[in-house]
Amino acid sequence: MKRLIINADDFGYDEGVVRGIIELHQEGVITSTTCMTNMPAWPQAAAYLRSNASLGAGVHLVFNEGRPVLPIEQVSALVGADGQFLNDSQILRSVRPGTTAQLRAEFRAQIERFTADVGRPPDHLDNHCAVSYTRPDRFKVTLELAREYNLPIRVPFGDDLEEQATFLSERNALPHWMVRWLGAYFRRRIDRAGIGRPNAFLMQFSTPGNRTPEHLLALLDTLRDGWLSELLVHPGYYADWREKDLRALLDPRVRERLAQPDLQLSTFADID
């Protein structure tokens, strides 16, 4: 059996993303989403989750977009003068005192907001954007919280790291050796800590030039028996790239493939 988590990222980002993810869940195409509890449409997303327990949901830990959940004075090392989180390039250069402690507090606040607003705990944690994985000191905070809350996490560096390294390197403009080294390091840290994770993370579909039913179907053909794989998608409305993801997922050929008996749609709660 091939088990697949189709995880729709950014639930709560804006009204168009919330609308698209709800539509896909109601159509039976997705069973999992990841929530941005610091973004404007989070109240609408939370309201849907409160009455739809069949949609597995995790927390999309954010520190590079939007405003923090905590008061700005409590996370001054994480924000700019406008009160917004630092951008990716600023994060990579940042050595502000107190960053790690403030990041831990902010991430914990995002998790606690999810639980308070939805009425149930999240079923996993993951990080927003690749910058989270290029700073081991930042990713360490996610590992600590995964252990604290006893939650599995998304891992871009799974059991298929060797196969994915070239794509990840090109996609994120990082040296191939760095992707392999960091990937092996993170995976080793996760496994030694006993934190649950899928076997594979498939992000190729939701990238420029690949948001088509044909590419998605070809990717589904690569799923391995006995593995639990996560497929990253970014559906929504009011943004062309998100609408491409949405249309591909609703394509009749894709829906027919997802209904085949050799494939089981899953959530992070299904991780052994």
Side-chain angles (χ1 to χ4, degrees), residues 189-202:
R189 289 284 303 275
I190 292 163
D191 292 344
R192 286 178 177 174
I195 297 169
R197 62 171 176 84
N199 298 101
F201 177 62
L202 308 174

Side-chain angles (χ1 to χ4, degrees), residues 1-6 31-32 152-153 155 158-160 196-202 223-231 263-272:
M1 177 66 69
K2 303 168 183 177
R3 295 187 296 159
L4 178 64
I5 301 169
I6 303 180
T31 54
S32 182
I153 63 174
V155 184
D159 299 326
D160 58 345
R197 62 171 176 84
N199 298 101
F201 177 62
L202 308 174
L223 298 178
R224 298 190 190 184
D225 283 320
W227 276 22
L228 176 62
S229 303
E230 180 190 0
L231 172 67
L263 196 156
Q264 176 183 325
L265 290 182
S266 303
T267 71
F268 279 85
D270 298 317
I271 291 178
D272 299 327

Side-chain angles (χ1 to χ4, degrees), residues 198-219:
N199 298 101
F201 177 62
L202 308 174
M203 64 174 291
Q204 296 93 324
F205 161 69
S206 193
T207 56
N210 292 339
R211 297 182 169 98
T212 66
E214 293 77 17
H215 186 89
L216 182 51
L217 288 166
L219 197 58

Side-chain angles (χ1 to χ4, degrees), residues 91-214:
I91 288 167
L92 289 174
R93 298 193 306 269
S94 176
V95 290
R96 295 181 180 182
T99 294
T100 300
Q102 292 182 20
L103 185 65
R104 186 182 297 108
E106 171 63 20
F107 279 0
R108 184 176 287 110
Q110 292 178 19
I111 296 168
E112 295 295 336
R113 172 176 281 186
F114 177 100
T115 301
D117 291 352
V118 177
R120 56 180 159 109
D123 66 7
H124 75 283
L125 303 177
D126 64 40
N127 293 86
H128 180 55
C129 298
V131 67
S132 305
Y133 305 102
T134 56
R135 287 284 300 259
D137 56 337
R138 306 293 190 260
F139 189 65
K140 178 184 177 182
V141 176
T142 303
L143 296 184
E144 292 171 349
L145 291 171
R147 277 189 297 193
E148 177 181 334
Y149 287 91
N150 192 30
L151 294 173
I153 63 174
R154 165 184 292 166
V155 184
F157 318 105
D159 299 326
D160 58 345
L161 172 61
E162 293 300 321
E163 300 166 28
Q164 298 290 343
T166 298
F167 174 82
L168 290 168
S169 171
E170 295 173 352
R171 177 74 177 87
N172 298 295
L174 294 171
H176 190 272
W177 68 265
M178 180 181 290
V179 170
R180 293 181 63 187
W181 183 86
L182 280 176
Y185 171 78
F186 286 143
R187 185 177 61 190
R188 187 165 57 250
R189 289 284 303 275
I190 292 163
D191 292 344
R192 286 178 177 174
I195 297 169
R197 62 171 176 84
N199 298 101
F201 177 62
L202 308 174
M203 64 174 291
Q204 296 93 324
F205 161 69
S206 193
T207 56
N210 292 339
R211 297 182 169 98
T212 66
E214 293 77 17

